[in-house]
Amino acid sequence: MIINDVHCHFFSPQFFATLGRQRATPEADSRNPARPPSASDICRELNWDDPVSPEALAHRWIAELDAQGVTRAALMASLPGDEESVAAAVARHPARLVGFFMVDPSAADATERTRHAITELGLRTVCLFPAMHHVPLADERVGRIVEIAASQPGIAVFIHCGALSVGVRTKLGLPSRFDFRLGNPLEVARLAVKYPSVPFIIPHFGAGMFREALMAADMCGNIHFDTSSSNSWIRYTPGLTLDAAFKAALSVVGPSRLLFGTDSSFFPRGWQKGIYDTQKQILDMCGVSAEDAALIFGRNFDRLFPAAG
Ligand SMILES: [Zn+2]
């Protein structure tokens, strides 16, 4: 069976350098500017491997996917402004990697960046984190970005809903001032109704807003779920198990709109095989046919993101 992973993070040198700049340096002033920690400093502090360059990191990802038997993966630029890093990786391995990128709709250059990432850099999914960027999905700045995605064939929109924690920020003591009210799957449904040709991806089954995510996907045939991460949100619904969540998603959304993902990110940890093992076991236990499992683990990904090159 082909395994494609729709949810991996590309933690590039620029990603770590940006986190370094976000580090508060209270002792700095204009006459004595404190040098922000470099990407390498940040990696050393985290005890993670230094990605060195986008090309080297792309190479590492490909070696990891090969070692784990994963055919293709979506890699997300995980901070706004890091599109070029992922584009460099995808350009090297267009048959294996699909580029996703995060956009902050409140940024002055958000529409320009989105257009550039899609039309010039060949990235294929816009990622929105409304709770992080404090822009409601009904805001016209979001509308303008989705409009750009809709104007190009084959571009998807990923919208993080529900609970959100960014492990690397917590580890570095960086603030995470998220407004969780803003990530509601029913607001994704509003956009999905307006742009029926655009595939929308809600990660982690809605990350705690499972009922709303199911409602949204039931009403809108262009809403997909990704299955990534440990899905620890299930503890917000008393008694809910991941098996039961999969069963409900299969019965409401169906196997054609579930996309397997792990939420893998840094090295040396690499690709999170444990997530795959757990989900494979659950689908086997649920009696999902080999054909439906093949859709979830790989074919839906290939349908949404046909291999380039
Ligand atoms: Zn993620």
Side-chain angles (χ1 to χ4, degrees), residues 12 54 91 208 214 256 308:
S12 68
L214 287 173
S256 299

Side-chain angles (χ1 to χ4, degrees), residues 127-161:
C127 302
L128 300 172
F129 288 72
M132 187 187 294
H133 297 130
H134 299 187
V135 183
L137 291 173
D139 192 289
E140 61 179 20
R141 291 169 293 178
V142 171
R144 282 197 286 270
I145 288 165
V146 177
E147 186 82 52
I148 295 168
S151 70
Q152 305 288 328
I155 306 301
V157 176
F158 165 112
I159 303 183
H160 191 285
C161 297

Side-chain angles (χ1 to χ4, degrees), residues 62-127:
I62 293 295
E64 176 74 356
L65 299 180
D66 285 344
Q68 302 277 7
V70 180
T71 305
R72 303 176 68 208
L75 297 178
M76 187 196 302
S78 303
L79 278 173
D82 198 21
E83 305 89 70
E84 304 273 352
S85 301
V86 162
V90 172
R92 292 257 164 142
H93 307 279
R96 306 288 300 279
L97 305 177
V98 173
F100 285 26
F101 62 105
M102 185 192 282
V103 173
D104 174 358
S106 75
D109 59 355
T111 53
E112 199 36 59
R113 278 194 171 279
T114 302
R115 203 183 315 274
H116 179 71
I118 293 171
T119 60
E120 310 293 324
L121 301 179
L123 305 188
R124 292 207 249 175
T125 295
V126 183
C127 302

Side-chain angles (χ1 to χ4, degrees), residues 7 9 76 158 204 228 263:
H7 192 139
H9 292 271
M76 187 196 302
F158 165 112
H204 327 301
S228 72
D263 212 357

